[in-house]
Amino acid sequence: MAEPDVLKPLLERARLTPDSRARVLDHSAGLIADLRAAQNKGWVNQFLQEYRLNSSEGVALLSLAEAFLRVPDPETADLLIADKLGDADWRTHAGKSNSALVNSATWGLVVGRVLVREEGNALQRLISRAGEPFVRQAVGAAMKMMGEVFVMGRTIDEAMKRMRRPENKGFTASFDMLGEAARTKADAERYFAAYFDAIRAVGRDPKAGHSISVKLSALHARYEVAQWDSCVPELSDMLAQLASEAAAQNIALTVDAEESERLEMSLEIIGAVAQRPELRGWDGYGMAVQSYGKRARSVIGWADGLDRPMNVRLVKGAYWDSEIKRTQVEGLADYPLFTRKAATDVSYLACARDMLDATNIRPAFASHNALTVATILEWAGNSRDFEFQRLHGMGEGLYERLVREHGHHCRIYAPVGGHRDLLAYLVRRLLENGANSSFVHQLADAGLSDAELMADPVEKIAAVGGTRHPSIPLPKDLMGAWGNSEGIDLAEREVLRETARAIASAPLPLIATPSPFVSSEVETPSRSADQGFSTSLETNGVSAAITRAHAAFPTWSATPVETRAAILERYADLLEANRTELMAYAVREAFKTIPDALGEIREAADFCRYYAMQARGILAPRILPGPTGERNELRMMGRGVWATIAPWNFPLAIFTGQNAAALVAGNSVVAKPAPQTPGIAARAVELAHEAGVPRDALVLVTGGAEAGAALTGDTRIAGVAFTGSTATAKAIARSLLEDDNRPIVPLIAETGGINAMIVDSTALPEQVVADVIASAFRSAGQRCSALRLLIVQEEVAETILTMLRGAMELLVVGDPGDPRTDVGPVIDDAAYAKLMAYRESVKGRWIKTVPVPATGRFVPPTAIRLNDLDDLNQEWFGPLLHVATWRAGELHATIERVNAKRFGLTMGLHSRIARSAEIAEATAKVGNLYINRSMIGAVVGSQPFGGEGLSGTGPKAGGPNYLPRFCVERAVSVDTTSAGGNASLLSLEEGAG
């Protein structure tokens, strides 16, 4: 639903009467005074006030805290310290705080900056070298101190003991045995055991009133909608075991909220456990609800309808920025959450009111916002049948008086675990509460008055009509000048199911591909990239197609650019209108998984709209400067007939992109798809004709190497766009030069690569492994950009590889039309035989491999250890990942060794050191460099794709320099005075002067 439609009833539910508003403001003022007083107590509060998140120093400290404790080697630790401390201006903070400890820490940072800076005289450099261990120890101590402040305890016993301190008197705790989401089965088992042990530990002192919080994503490494049929029953069973133990110990257990795409799974699991007969009579069961979600109020109603007491913790929400990005990346119709902070506050208040009025809900209100707290107190009146909650280490001062003088309940959400593992969590919480729009951040801003702090969110949202934040466009408008392609929400269970059913049942008469599920040794006809189907044209057929395109060129070239661009936009619309059919071709002919098939259609549509937008600007005639009496104009014109040769791994996206670019530039096209995927190409051409491309301006030919050679060898071909192997690209390049009488023909080639990802010891292992799995094994490794060579710093190699092994074990290999499948079959028998023979030849160096179905062209995803990264000099186009290591301090040299392989398509770097990213940007000779993310999924217009060296010629597809390559440039100069004088010059009026 559109944001204004969702907010309209919420505004009425959250609105205060004038009398209530006056009382709330009065109460808020007192709470703010208590908060301000607390902010001036304790060195930590003052430290965070001094180094706020909108300062470079504050960001530097958080970045250091996020990574430092997980770095095992001193060399990288020193680089990280220098990177984060070296450029910040610590002197401006010297002596500014009321806290002597904060000022002392600041002076330490000032000295640290001097010690870690590289410039300076010889004495300073000497001190720098001598001082590194000192600085490292000091920073390590500071990071551990920050961890102690925001982590309740390293063990549950330590945390419970800390809750008995005087500063926590009157408060209870909800302990969270925190960690990142599970990436492996071992992770999940470890977290389950930690939760179970914590429940028993808390149960030893039930009168203390403490509880446990559980995160479902920590209990299952495949907590995904696509894995619903397995993960939901398994998680329901695990949660039931934990709930039963909590009931036996007579303590409360709350299920944390997570990303919105997991909401329905969470409710299914929570609801199933709520109905367990063995839990009847236990009133300690609960769940968290995030008010930033548009469905929050509906979830409150759902919880109240469970016919049992439910403890509901209402929170603002912890995944806002990542949810905004996911919605944009997936091209969904609208956001599942509110885009304005004030809208989230309105939703929170409306939900809070529902909770106070509910029959079966025992409310818990988690907030650090004084206005929110005062409003809830106003509505609750004299009731004490609810509690407040705050994060440990934050919001101190807000609740102390309410708890100790007024009899209210407040629970502290308390992370428990090792500081090394929890500092990344700490940083996320600090960022969440330090955002410019958050109350905690605003409270520390001396420029904001109390009146501004207590502005009514209902009035704020009513004033803008509940509209979306103007800086957050809908996904379809994300690209500005051209429309972003439409996605479908495959994280919606029914959408995914219906899509899978439609793909399976779509009639696809043009498919000529043998099934990949038949045993490759027995029944499947052998074929390779060089062999065509029975539909392949003979050489004279190719010649006839070129003749048609050649005859069509003059008329099509003379068609106005605006007309050609509009046709491409209609083509994009038709691709999306026929999305399910085209996805079916991608799944059943190219063996793509359902998400990859969707990406195929979206990329094709993006190419059409992007090139249409580019054409209107780039291809329009341009008037150039010159002397008076002369008109100079540059025109971009089509070259003639282009041959486009597309690969089977992106049989629609690349095929469409090549053709769309050539056509909108005014060329006619003879398009040859890969012999493995003629069906989807034929349907794409039909849709192009339906959009308005003349039938002879875009002609399809099918076949293998013979048809391709006939096409590129014809002297009427004015340009070639090719994606495929390096060897074939070279053969094409040679053929274009064979005939001395032939004009010089441009070749746009995008080929393969030995794509490397380099990981240092500052990288977050969970993020690295997730990106490695996606980059190496998605699409069965059959992407030009796929990760082929993982190079991990020696000191963390075993940690990364252990987690990688566990993550690989969870890969689902099978039918690509099954929503559960991660890895499908490879494209044909030739590819299967080549990959399996190589894999068997290096069996002694396998790090991990994965079981696959007994029949079919399934190459097991396999990680292979190299003795040296120089041992790999050939691309293996499948789910085979090679792993090597590198030494700390040798990043530049390692990148150069990858460069020396002479491929230059993609490269990845995982590091928290900004200087390392700068080194990679300056050194890596690749077309696409990806830092702290996966290496696949280039987006048209955002990440133009294409390589250099052995990986291609450029220009990059989906980029601003692509279309001109399809054109000739013609300059026209006209002497406008030749017919009797320069009229414009002679008619000038006298200027003032």
Side-chain angles (χ1 to χ4, degrees), residues 2 51 79 105 180 193 257 403 431 440 548 694 715 756 826 834 915:
Y51 297 107
L79 290 172
E180 303 292 337
V403 169
L431 287 168
V440 172
R548 287 172 56 198
T715 58
V826 296
K834 181 177 180 180
R915 177 59 184 151

Side-chain angles (χ1 to χ4, degrees), residues 211-384:
S211 62
I212 295 294
S213 290
V214 173
K215 187 165 68 171
L216 294 177
S217 61
L219 294 175
H220 202 291
R222 297 303 305 269
Y223 182 35
E224 307 159 19
V225 170
Q227 308 299 325
W228 182 301
D229 292 342
S230 57
C231 77
V232 167
E234 290 168 13
L235 276 166
S236 298
D237 182 63
M238 285 186 280
L239 181 59
Q241 292 180 56
L242 295 174
S244 295
E245 185 62 26
Q249 300 292 338
N250 196 28
I251 67 168
L253 179 148
T254 300
V255 181
D256 277 339
E258 302 193 54
E259 297 90 343
S260 62
E261 64 262 31
R262 289 170 162 162
L263 176 60
E264 292 184 42
M265 281 195 300
S266 295
L267 298 185
E268 181 90 2
I269 294 162
I270 293 167
V273 174
Q275 303 306 319
R276 292 283 183 116
E278 67 268 25
L279 299 179
R280 287 290 175 186
W282 173 57
D283 62 0
Y285 190 44
M287 61 183 289
V289 178
Q290 300 184 115
S291 70
Y292 70 26
K294 290 177 177 175
R295 296 175 287 180
R297 197 176 176 201
S298 297
V299 175
I300 298 297
W302 176 88
D304 192 36
L306 283 175
D307 192 30
R308 62 157 294 138
M310 285 294 291
N311 301 321
V312 177
R313 174 199 296 148
L314 184 63
V315 300
K316 297 293 174 71
Y319 303 93
W320 185 82
D321 54 346
S322 62
E323 297 229 38
I324 291 286
K325 181 175 181 180
R326 175 194 171 256
T327 306
Q328 292 178 343
V329 169
E330 300 297 330
L332 304 184
D334 207 332
Y335 297 98
L337 38 75
F338 300 108
T339 57
R340 296 180 189 260
K341 176 65 166 64
T344 293
D345 291 341
V346 168
S347 172
Y348 191 97
L349 293 173
C351 289
R353 202 162 191 174
D354 285 355
M355 289 165 64
L356 289 169
D357 292 345
T359 302
N360 295 316
I361 287 177
R362 299 173 61 182
F365 303 110
S367 176
H368 302 142
N369 187 313
L371 183 67
T372 300
V373 171
T375 303
I376 290 169
L377 290 170
E378 168 70 16
W379 286 335
N382 294 323
S383 172
R384 297 294 186 272

Side-chain angles (χ1 to χ4, degrees), residues 623-663:
I623 301 298
L624 304 178
T628 184
E630 187 173 285
R631 177 173 63 84
N632 296 293
E633 184 175 293
L634 181 67
R635 299 173 184 172
M636 308 290 283
M637 308 297 292
R639 290 178 173 273
V641 182
W642 272 73
T644 61
I645 303 175
W648 48 260
N649 63 333
F650 284 92
L652 180 69
I654 292 178
F655 181 79
T656 301
Q658 291 173 341
N659 297 335
L663 287 165

Side-chain angles (χ1 to χ4, degrees), residues 415-744:
V416 179
H419 299 151
R420 177 184 177 277
D421 297 323
L422 294 193
L423 274 180
Y425 164 83
L426 155 68
V427 168
R428 285 196 296 273
R429 295 288 80 80
L430 286 175
L431 287 168
E432 175 192 336
N433 289 277
N436 288 332
S437 58
S438 82
F439 189 85
V440 172
H441 184 92
Q442 292 174 338
L443 187 70
D445 188 344
L448 283 177
S449 67
D450 283 4
E452 290 171 303
L453 281 173
M454 294 186 290
D456 187 352
V458 171
E459 295 306 319
K460 284 184 180 179
I461 295 303
V464 297
T467 55
R468 190 180 62 257
H469 195 291
S471 297
I472 304 177
L474 287 176
K476 69 181 179 64
D477 301 321
L478 182 63
M479 298 303 181
W482 54 284
N484 188 20
S485 57
E486 294 179 3
I488 53 176
D489 195 353
L490 296 179
E492 182 73 38
R493 190 188 190 194
E494 283 309 311
V495 171
L496 180 58
R497 276 178 163 179
E498 179 52 39
T499 301
R501 282 195 291 263
I503 285 171
S505 61
L508 305 177
L510 294 174
I511 285 186
T513 303
S515 169
F517 308 114
V518 179
S519 173
S520 58
E521 288 88 3
V522 188
E523 298 177 26
T524 304
S526 176
R527 65 190 172 102
S528 73
D530 293 331
Q531 293 174 313
F533 292 97
S534 59
T535 54
S536 296
L537 296 177
E538 299 295 332
T539 301
N540 59 350
V542 173
S543 178
I546 297 171
T547 298
R548 287 172 56 198
H550 192 265
F553 168 68
T555 302
W556 177 246
S557 181
T559 302
V561 170
E562 174 56 42
T563 302
R564 300 197 301 256
I567 288 172
L568 282 200
E569 288 169 338
R570 286 198 297 274
Y571 188 19
D573 294 343
L574 285 171
L575 290 170
E576 290 180 334
N578 292 273
R579 176 172 50 207
T580 301
E581 179 194 3
L582 293 169
M583 287 177 67
Y585 272 111
V587 169
R588 292 160 57 187
E589 184 176 54
F591 317 130
K592 286 180 170 283
T593 60
I594 292 174
D596 285 349
L598 175 59
E600 185 86 6
I601 281 71
R602 292 192 63 206
E603 187 175 3
D606 281 338
F607 274 130
C608 291
R609 294 194 180 106
Y610 178 74
Y611 291 144
M613 181 273 295
Q614 286 279 304
R616 290 185 175 103
I618 293 175
L619 304 186
R622 278 176 277 178
I623 301 298
L624 304 178
T628 184
E630 187 173 285
R631 177 173 63 84
N632 296 293
E633 184 175 293
L634 181 67
R635 299 173 184 172
M636 308 290 283
M637 308 297 292
R639 290 178 173 273
V641 182
W642 272 73
T644 61
I645 303 175
W648 48 260
N649 63 333
F650 284 92
L652 180 69
I654 292 178
F655 181 79
T656 301
Q658 291 173 341
N659 297 335
L663 287 165
V664 81
N667 302 284
S668 56
V669 177
V670 177
K672 191 194 88 64
Q676 295 90 338
T677 53
I680 195 169
R683 186 68 179 112
V685 169
E686 286 180 359
L687 292 174
H689 293 157
E690 186 179 336
V693 176
R695 300 187 68 83
D696 288 349
L698 175 60
V699 185
L700 178 73
V701 298
T702 59
E706 183 178 326
L711 183 58
T712 59
D714 194 301
T715 58
R716 293 170 295 175
I717 293 296
V720 177
F722 168 79
T723 299
S725 72
T726 303
T728 303
K730 287 185 173 182
I732 292 172
R734 284 191 294 268
S735 73
L736 296 178
L737 297 173
E738 285 178 353
D739 188 339
D740 287 341
N741 294 319
R742 187 178 189 177
I744 297 173

